[in-house]
Amino acid sequence: MQNVDYVECQASSWALAADGLIQLLTQRGVGQGQVLGVDAHSSHNGEGGAAVFCAHYSMLLPSLGILNLRYMRFEEVVEDEHNWATISKRATSKLSIKRAISVTASSSIDQEVVLCCFYYSRGTEKQALQEVSEVVAPAWKDAAERLITMVEAAGLCNGQVQWIDAYWLPFMKGSVALSAYFCRSLHGNGPLRLSYSLRTGG
């Protein structure tokens, strides 16, 4: 997709960063239907904050009205896979039939993990509950290839995968994770075909 822009907000807490991101999108005149996704990541570069959210959007997409972007935030200590699965399930359950944009995770302080769900509060059609497929692997390339195989085998169509989140959580002990969130009730357009590009930083 061409003409994709992004905004980023860094703050001393996840709530301040999320509120700041929504304010930046609103100031730029971004409407419903124009946000492609939101990503959470932590930063420890000494610039005054550790919580970061960034959003990618395209003003070429049709706007469905005022942004009305809201979020739910979960910040908890996660010690193992069972804790993480419980939080993830609770988050998708609370989303219910809200029109979700992104569910994004990041490591936080010590063993804490943040999981934030961004959604439109009004003005859009409701949808069925989101489903999620997660892959944990030693490297990003392995995770991406395994996730693509998994979601393509699930019988999904183009347009039904809403977003894919990349993250590392403390209990994963050196592994990385990708989660694909999808909704089978969304209109599909032909068999799903995914590809990816990979860029990592030091």
Side-chain angles (χ1 to χ4, degrees):
M1 179 181 291
Q2 296 180 339
N3 297 103
V4 174
D5 294 307
Y6 78 96
V7 291
E8 181 177 277
C9 185
Q10 176 173 299
S12 58
S13 72
W14 293 105
L16 289 174
D19 290 338
L21 184 78
I22 293 173
Q23 182 177 9
L24 288 173
L25 288 168
T26 301
Q27 289 173 348
R28 294 197 179 191
V30 178
Q32 288 191 28
Q34 296 180 324
V35 179
L36 300 174
V38 180
D39 180 63
H41 55 279
S42 58
S43 172
H44 303 283
N45 56 15
E47 295 182 0
V52 185
F53 283 109
C54 65
H56 287 79
Y57 65 92
S58 175
M59 302 293 280
L60 294 183
L61 293 172
S63 173
L64 303 178
I66 298 173
L67 187 60
N68 286 322
L69 184 60
R70 300 291 185 269
Y71 66 92
M72 296 183 292
R73 190 183 78 259
F74 305 83
E75 290 183 65
E76 299 184 24
V77 174
V78 175
E79 297 178 344
D80 53 35
E81 294 179 4
H82 176 73
N83 292 155
W84 170 239
T86 299
I87 294 171
S88 181
K89 183 177 181 179
R90 186 164 74 246
T92 54
S93 178
K94 283 196 173 184
L95 271 174
S96 185
I97 58 173
K98 295 180 177 68
R99 187 63 172 90
I101 301 170
S102 289
V103 176
T104 179
S106 174
S107 59
S108 190
I109 301 171
D110 298 324
Q111 290 292 109
E112 284 191 358
V113 167
V114 63
L115 182 65
C116 202
C117 311
F118 289 85
Y119 63 93
Y120 294 126
S121 63
R122 63 177 72 90
T124 58
E125 294 182 1
K126 305 299 183 182
Q127 64 182 38
L129 184 65
Q130 291 78 23
E131 299 177 62
V132 58
S133 292
E134 182 186 59
V135 167
V136 179
W140 292 112
K141 184 175 185 295
D142 294 337
E145 291 177 353
R146 287 172 53 188
L147 186 71
I148 288 175
T149 299
M150 183 182 296
V151 296
E152 287 186 347
L156 299 171
C157 298
N158 288 322
Q160 293 180 330
V161 175
Q162 296 169 282
W163 62 90
I164 295 176
D165 190 42
Y167 49 93
W168 171 86
L169 304 179
F171 74 89
M172 292 179 176
K173 302 185 185 302
S175 295
V176 297
L178 294 173
S179 286
Y181 292 83
F182 54 92
C183 182
R184 298 178 188 272
S185 69
L186 294 175
H187 176 70
N189 182 23
L192 179 67
R193 293 292 181 266
L194 290 178
S195 61
Y196 71 96
S197 62
L198 177 65
R199 180 183 299 173
T200 59

